[in-house]
Amino acid sequence: MGAIPTQRETVFPGIGAPSPATPHAPPVARATLAGSPHAPGAARDLVRAAFAEWGDLPERLAEDVTLVVSELVTNAVVHAGTDVDLLCRLEDDPEQGPAVVVEVGDHHPSRAPRDHPPETPHETPEYGRGLRLVAALADAWGVTYRRGAKTVWARLLPVAPEPYETDGTYGASPVAPLDPLLEALAPEPRPACRGGDWLNRGALSFLAEASDLLAGQLDEDLVAALSSQLLVPRLADWCGVWLEDEVSGHGGGWGEWAGGPGPRLARVWHGDEGRIEELRRALEKDPPRPAEPPRSGPEHFPWPGPALGPRGAALAYRLIAGGRPLGTLVIGRAGPGAFADEVTGLVEDLGRRVALAIGAARQYARQATISAVLQRGLLPGAVAEIPGVRSALVHEPREQGGPSGDFYDLFPAGDGRWCFAIGDVQGKGPEAAVVIGLARPWLRLLAREGYGVPDVLDRLNQLLLDDATEAADAAARAFVGPTGPGDGPQTRFLSLLYGELAPFEGGVRCTLASAGHPLPLLLGPDGSVATAARPQTLLGVIEDVTYTSDVLELRHGDSLLCVTDGVTERRSGIRQFDDGDGLALALAGCVGLDAELIAERIRRLVHEFGERPPEDDLALLVLQAE
C-alpha cells in the first residue's frame, strides 16, 4: 500500500514555455534534488529533458551545460549535504546566440569555495579542481551568498570561450604538452587549437560518467573495485583502496587503529594482472598513515618495493564524506616522472565521488540491517503446528530485508483453539512497523483472553483509532523527520483477515472475518472454489463499527487460501492478476496438491503474470485439512 520515497525530487512546470503571468519570461527548468549520490544523475536528466523541449540548440552547448551542472551538483552534494536547488534558464544573446544560465544552490553557506593558488604543488582548493574546469567552459561564473543559502552560477554560450590560461598548476595551456595518461580521457576528435578546452571537457565527461557508475552501487567493496578500474590504466599504473571501519575511522587518527583491526585493504589493481598479488603483499606490509587533520589532497606515498619494477611516484588520497574519513586511495605510476598536476587534481575530484559512494553504500547497509532486525521482530519466529491441519506460508517484501507492510501470524490461543492472521498496513517502513508492532501482540493477547473473532476486530479497530494512531504518527515523525505545515496526525489503516481454528473429529471448524482484506478462497477436493467470508470495513477507519464472522468446516482435502493485495493486484500492463476471477482460476488448477505446493504454485503464477518483478509486498497463507 504505497511506498516511502527515498529521494525527494520536484520538477516544476514551465520547461520550454513561458508562464501565462509573464508571457516574455525565458524558458526555465527547475528542480529540488535530495542531497544524495543520485542527485548529479537526476540533474543531468533534467538538463537533457530541458534541451529536448527547447528545440534546436547547438549540441556542444547541451553537452557543456550537462557537464557543468553535473560538476556543480556534485560539489553541492559532497560539501553541503543538503537539498540542492537547480535552475537552468535559456536566454537570447543578440550577439552570440542562445545562452544558458545555470544556478545550483545549497543550504549550507558556512564556507566559500577557495579560489587561490595552492600553497604546495599537491594542495588543491577545498572544492577541488571542478570549479576551475567549470570556469574553463563558462563565459562567466560566480558565487552568490544569501541568508541560509549559497548559489554557484555559470553562463554558457554556444561559442566556446577562449582557452583557459593557467599557471600550469590547475590546467593545461593550449600549447603545453599533455600528459599521455590524459589522452584517453579527452573526447574525439581533438580540435586543432583548443588543447586546454579539449582536456577540460574530457575531464568533466570522465567525472560525470564515474558519478553515474558509482552512484548506483550499494556495496562498498564493489565501489572500491569499480574505482580501481576507473583509475587503472587511465590515470595510474596501479592503485589500492583501504576502507576504514565505522568505529576506528571516527576521528581519523592512525594512532586509534593501533589497538584495533586497522583499515582493510579492500581492492588492489595493477595494469599488469600478473603483478596484482605481489602488489597486494607489498601494500599490506606498509599501509598508508594519513596526516592529521584529515584532508582529501594527495600525500606522497613510499614506492612499494623494487619488485614492481623501476621506482616511480605514488600518492595517497584520504576518502572523506561528510567530514568523516572512510578510507584511503593510493595510486602509483612507474618511471622517473611525477604525476602531472592535472592528473593529481582529477584523481582528487574522483576521490570525492568515491567517498560519497562509499558513504551511501554504508548508509544503505545500516538501513538494511535496521530493517532486517525490525522485520524479524514483527513476524513470528515460528508458526504453530495445528493437529489435523497443514499450513504453508509465503512472505516476500518488495524491499528485501523489509520492513514490509504485509504480516502474518499463526499461534495457539488455548482451550484447543488456534488463531491465524494475515494483514496489510497502509504504507511501509517505519510507519508500517509501528502499526504491525501494535496489532500483532494485541491479536495474540485478545485471543488468549478468550475473545471471539468479532470482538477481537472490534477492539483492535478502536485501538487503531485511539492511542495507536498518535503513537504511530509520533514514531513515524521520529524516523522520517518533521512534517510540513498542516500535516497533522493521520490514521493508519489496516486490512486484516483473522480467524480461529478448532479441530474436531473429521475436520476443523474455522471462524473468520475479513476487514477490508481480499476475501479468502476455499478449494474443495473436486476443484470447486468459493469465497469463504463477507467483505467488511478496514480497521482504523470508522468508529463504533461492529464486525461479524463467518463459520465453515474444513474437511479432508479442503484448502483455504488467504492472500494480501500484493497477489490480487499484481499488474501486467493495465490488467491485474485477479481480473476475471484470476486468483480463483489459479487456485482451481491446484486441486490434488498439498499446502506447500499450492502456496508455491500461486507464488510462481503471480511472479510470471508480469514481465517485471512485483511492485508490492506479497503474502499468502494456505490452510489444508488433512
Side-chain angles (χ1 to χ4, degrees), residues 269-291:
W269 195 248
H270 196 293
D272 181 355
E273 295 187 20
R275 293 187 169 183
I276 291 178
E277 288 305 316
E278 187 178 16
L279 175 60
R280 176 182 295 276
R281 289 192 296 269
L283 293 178
E284 285 177 340
K285 292 179 181 177
D286 190 16
R289 289 168 171 76

Side-chain angles (χ1 to χ4, degrees), residues 236-238 300-304 310-315 331-339:
D237 293 340
W238 57 264
H300 289 288
F301 185 82
W303 187 254
R311 294 188 62 84
L315 297 173
I331 60 170
R333 181 180 182 184
F339 282 100

